[in-house]
Amino acid sequence: MTNSEIVDLLELTGRLMELHEYDTFKTRAFSSAAFNLDKSTADLANLPAEELIKLPGVGKSVAYKIREIAETGRLTELDDLLAQTPSGVMDMFRIKGLGVKKIGTLWRELGIDNLNELQQACEEGRVAQIKGFGKATQDKILAALEFLQEQKGKVRMDKAAMIANLLHDELTRHFERVEISGQVRRKAQEVDTVQLLVQTSDPVSAMLTLNGLPSLESDEQISSPFAWRGQLQNFDVQVELLLFPAEQIDRQLFIHTAAEPHLQQVGTGGQSLLQVAYTSPDTAEEAIYQRAGLPFIVPEMREDDFAFRWAGRYRNDQLVTWDDLRGTLHNHSTWSDGKQSVADMAAYCRELGLTYFGIADHSKTASYANGLDAERVRAQQIEIDQLNAGFGDSFRIFKGIESDILSDGSLDYDNETLATFDYVVASVHQTLTMSLEKATTRLLRAIENPYTTILGHPTGRLLLAREGYPIDHRAIIDACAQHNVVIEINASPYRLDIDWRWINYAMQQGVMLSINPDAHDFGGLLDMHYGVATGRKGGLTKEMTFNALSLEEMTKYLTQRRSRIGKK
């Protein structure tokens, strides 16, 4: 059992105890342990109970519960709670903004135990009549239900890639060639079908092999003799395995990677890219584009005709790559809600070949994330100075902060404190329900603040979980251009915000983009791979990638920017 799996079970136990109105003290014991252990770097599964008790938030009772989880993979108390809880009530936990107490009220007072009944009750106005709810809450629940329905059957980029790789590894044991295709290959941020192409000269035998794999669950109604469709066990997303002979694989890989609008692009010979793909004697992807009289487009960009317009100004070798990244600027440590120390995060960055690490822990208003007040800011900066003294000229830790953008658009510290940072990532974390005008005005004021260096996750969205607040993207990007503010591509696969569709407009306005992992641990730093994929999808070049600047260039940029603030 991993730490995150243990923490998830403890957290769920606490939430279900609250739902079933267990003793408050006992409920808090589980919730507190989950909250504290979420940041722990200890190997929870291998610690004896007497060592677990020494960890923050862990009492004797919970320590033995952790041992039960580690040894059995289950928790008897949680199993009992789950047995008492309808699965539809569990689904209500997915509704953002609907807390445990409100879920309990809906279940007990209205007898609602599934999402369909909840939607019907909202549409009939019954939820608004419950004390503590009202029409505003009812409308939010309806909007959240609609959003969940739209996202049903989809997975994020990271999970889709994991599923595709699992399938690829399994299938290559049985087939000579297997290729990941479709949405996964073109790095879609949300995936509803994980598609792979399987090479075979005997589709009947191949289908028997696929149906015999224990991890695959076939859906015979939507399958056909040349297309296996169903799901990978334990994952709620459609899997499509297409069978082709060896001579067709390259051609079909090209066709199935690109989205329909891209394939309909007409080339110089009057034929669409799809028509050329079916008739070209040379089935290599580059040859198909060449035969159509169109520039070669990398797989990530094969969505529509935007890529061809982009290719009129840029070359593929200008697109940003992982190897172009020289540092990382939006990261958290144990000073706020991260799992590793500043020193350890910096050391891992060095292992990755990066030359600078920017720490941007949460600011004081983010009390839920142990945000830093001015005194703790000073203490952290002293630690960073001491660490930097040991690096020489080859590596540097930059002093940053992720400052909350307050409801009026101001930043979370006075100017005296803001002036101590090398850079500031300004982000919205609270009061997310806003009109387009309110959200845009709030961000514009933050952008106008001379201390704002980077605008963090501009819409606050969580993919498949929460829609972002609406903003006027053009107005925001134009303001960033005017005030020399960099825009973040938040590389966390949960966010990927700013959306790739706005990257090209930002570039045209002269706004640089920073591929920021928003990392809270070592693994989070690797999320920059998803940020690179998103950047490439939107046509981001190395030249316009902020953290592709060298250490010397970044030091100069930040120094000059701070100097200009001091002269104003």
Side-chain angles (χ1 to χ4, degrees):
M1 297 289 289
T2 64
N3 279 14
S4 60
E5 289 171 331
I6 292 171
V7 168
D8 286 347
L9 291 180
L10 293 175
E11 183 179 21
L12 181 57
T13 302
R15 294 177 80 184
L16 289 179
M17 282 180 170
E18 184 179 355
L19 178 71
H20 290 279
E21 300 181 322
Y22 273 44
D23 176 73
T24 302
F25 180 80
K26 190 173 183 180
T27 300
R28 284 179 182 168
F30 279 88
S31 302
S32 175
F35 178 81
N36 284 280
L37 293 178
D38 188 44
K39 298 190 292 181
S40 177
T41 58
D43 185 2
L44 301 179
N46 291 310
L47 286 181
E50 53 268 26
E51 291 299 318
L52 287 167
I53 294 171
K54 298 176 183 177
L55 298 176
V58 179
K60 185 176 180 180
S61 174
V62 173
Y64 283 103
K65 300 297 183 183
I66 294 172
R67 290 309 315 147
E68 181 184 347
I69 294 170
E71 292 166 10
T72 69
R74 312 177 63 84
L75 184 58
T76 303
E77 198 155 7
L78 176 58
D79 289 342
D80 292 342
L81 286 163
L82 287 169
Q84 301 171 45
T85 311
S87 60
V89 173
M90 295 294 296
D91 289 338
M92 293 186 202
F93 284 119
R94 297 163 53 205
I95 301 175
K96 288 291 178 182
L98 193 58
V100 176
K101 290 188 183 300
K102 278 188 164 60
I103 292 171
T105 300
L106 290 167
W107 183 23
R108 280 184 284 274
E109 293 194 18
L110 292 187
I112 294 171
D113 65 2
N114 62 73
L115 295 183
N116 288 334
E117 287 186 2
L118 177 58
Q119 182 171 347
Q120 185 177 351
C122 287
E123 290 171 347
E124 294 172 355
R126 289 186 284 133
V127 171
Q129 296 172 12
I130 302 174
K131 183 179 179 181
F133 281 77
K135 187 176 185 305
T137 298
Q138 179 176 271
D139 289 345
K140 288 178 185 177
I141 293 172
L142 270 174
L145 286 169
E146 183 179 347
F147 181 76
L148 284 176
Q149 189 63 35
E150 291 172 356
Q151 311 308 313
K152 191 175 182 180
K154 296 180 182 179
V155 292
R156 297 185 311 271
M157 178 194 289
D158 58 326
K159 185 173 284 189
M162 179 190 69
I163 295 170
N165 287 323
L166 286 172
L167 288 166
H168 183 273
D169 291 347
E170 174 65 24
L171 296 175
T172 49
R173 298 174 188 170
H174 306 278
F175 299 96
E176 184 176 345
R177 184 179 175 191
V178 179
E179 296 287 350
I180 296 172
S181 182
Q183 297 169 354
V184 177
R185 188 173 180 230
R186 67 173 186 268
K187 308 297 184 184
Q189 58 198 20
E190 297 171 352
V191 173
D192 58 29
T193 303
V194 176
Q195 184 187 79
L196 291 88
L197 309 188
V198 178
Q199 178 180 309
T200 179
S201 58
D202 186 353
V204 174
S205 176
M207 198 62 76
L208 289 172
T209 299
L210 295 174
N211 285 327
L213 296 176
S215 60
L216 293 178
E217 300 172 351
S218 173
D219 187 335
E220 294 183 2
Q221 290 187 334
I222 58 174
S223 295
S224 70
F226 302 99
W228 185 99
R229 295 185 178 91
Q231 291 183 338
L232 180 65
Q233 202 170 48
N234 301 321
F235 293 101
D236 183 25
V237 65
Q238 181 169 301
V239 170
E240 186 174 64
L241 308 176
L242 305 179
L243 310 179
F244 294 104
E247 64 272 15
Q248 283 291 324
I249 284 285
D250 286 338
R251 188 193 313 277
Q252 296 298 333
L253 179 61
F254 170 75
I255 291 169
H256 284 89
T257 292
E260 186 66 22
H262 188 80
L263 292 172
Q264 293 305 320
Q265 180 72 17
V266 176
T268 56
Q271 288 187 306
S272 71
L273 197 53
L274 180 61
Q275 290 172 317
V276 173
Y278 274 119
T279 59
S280 175
D282 188 341
T283 59
E285 293 185 324
E286 292 85 350
I288 292 172
Y289 280 105
Q290 187 174 14
R291 186 177 177 86
L294 293 168
F296 175 75
I297 303 299
V298 298
E300 298 96 316
M301 297 182 74
R302 297 177 193 170
E303 292 286 351
D304 48 31
D305 61 348
F306 156 69
F308 298 107
R309 298 195 304 275
W310 178 90
R313 301 186 61 169
Y314 304 100
R315 303 183 315 274
N316 289 324
D317 62 7
Q318 292 178 273
L319 285 168
V320 67
T321 68
W322 171 270
D323 291 337
D324 291 328
L325 303 184
R326 295 290 174 262
T328 172
L329 292 168
H330 181 174
N331 307 283
H332 299 270
S333 74
T334 49
W335 280 90
S336 64
D337 61 345
K339 294 184 179 181
Q340 267 86 35
S341 66
V342 174
D344 288 344
M345 290 286 276
Y348 189 65
C349 282
R350 298 184 77 184
E351 288 182 30
L352 294 175
L354 302 176
T355 57
Y356 52 89
F357 168 73
I359 188 66
D361 274 314
H362 286 286
S363 62
K364 60 181 181 179
T365 294
S367 56
Y368 58 89
N370 194 29
L372 280 65
D373 59 22
E375 184 177 346
R376 294 180 67 223
V377 164
R378 287 190 291 272
Q380 184 188 66
Q381 291 179 351
I382 290 171
E383 177 185 310
I384 292 171
D385 286 337
Q386 292 170 344
L387 291 168
N388 277 334
F391 291 135
D393 297 329
S394 61
F395 187 87
R396 180 172 173 181
I397 301 172
F398 287 111
K399 304 169 187 173
I401 196 74
E402 185 180 20
S403 172
D404 267 33
I405 299 174
L406 306 181
S407 59
D408 64 354
S410 60
L411 299 187
D412 200 14
Y413 295 105
D414 57 38
N415 287 348
E416 182 181 358
T417 303
L418 290 170
T420 66
F421 298 109
D422 293 319
Y423 68 99
V424 172
V425 179
S427 307
V428 171
H429 290 110
Q430 301 179 64
T431 316
L432 303 180
T433 303
M434 297 179 283
S435 65
L436 185 146
E437 181 181 9
K438 168 65 177 175
T440 301
T441 301
R442 184 175 177 183
L443 292 189
L444 288 175
R445 184 174 178 198
I447 292 165
E448 291 165 3
N449 190 306
Y451 289 100
T452 298
T453 318
I454 302 172
L455 178 63
H457 44 74
T459 73
R461 74 181 184 185
L462 292 175
L463 293 171
L464 303 182
R466 179 179 74 207
E467 280 190 291
Y469 39 80
I471 63 172
D472 183 336
H473 280 83
R474 289 183 183 273
I476 295 300
I477 292 169
D478 291 347
C480 287
Q482 179 183 351
H483 296 281
N484 194 29
V485 170
V486 176
I487 294 178
E488 172 177 276
I489 299 176
N490 190 293
S492 166
Y494 289 84
R495 292 188 184 272
L496 299 179
D497 183 17
I498 191 171
D499 190 276
W500 67 267
R501 295 165 184 85
W502 288 101
I503 290 173
N504 187 60
Y505 182 75
M507 288 170 53
Q508 301 316 311
Q509 300 308 109
V511 176
M512 297 189 79
L513 295 112
S514 188
I515 297 174
N516 291 346
D518 199 351
H520 289 68
D521 54 24
F522 296 150
L525 290 165
L526 300 178
D527 284 350
M528 286 195 293
H529 283 290
Y530 303 119
V532 169
T534 297
R536 288 172 64 86
K537 195 172 192 66
L540 179 61
T541 62
K542 173 186 176 181
E543 182 185 13
M544 294 301 292
T545 304
F546 189 52
N547 55 318
L549 294 178
S550 68
L551 173 58
E552 182 181 358
E553 291 169 332
M554 182 61 72
T555 302
K556 181 178 179 181
Y557 178 96
L558 296 177
T559 300
Q560 290 181 343
R561 198 176 195 287
R562 290 179 67 194
S563 176
R564 287 195 297 271
I565 295 172
K567 294 176 181 177
K568 290 182 179 180

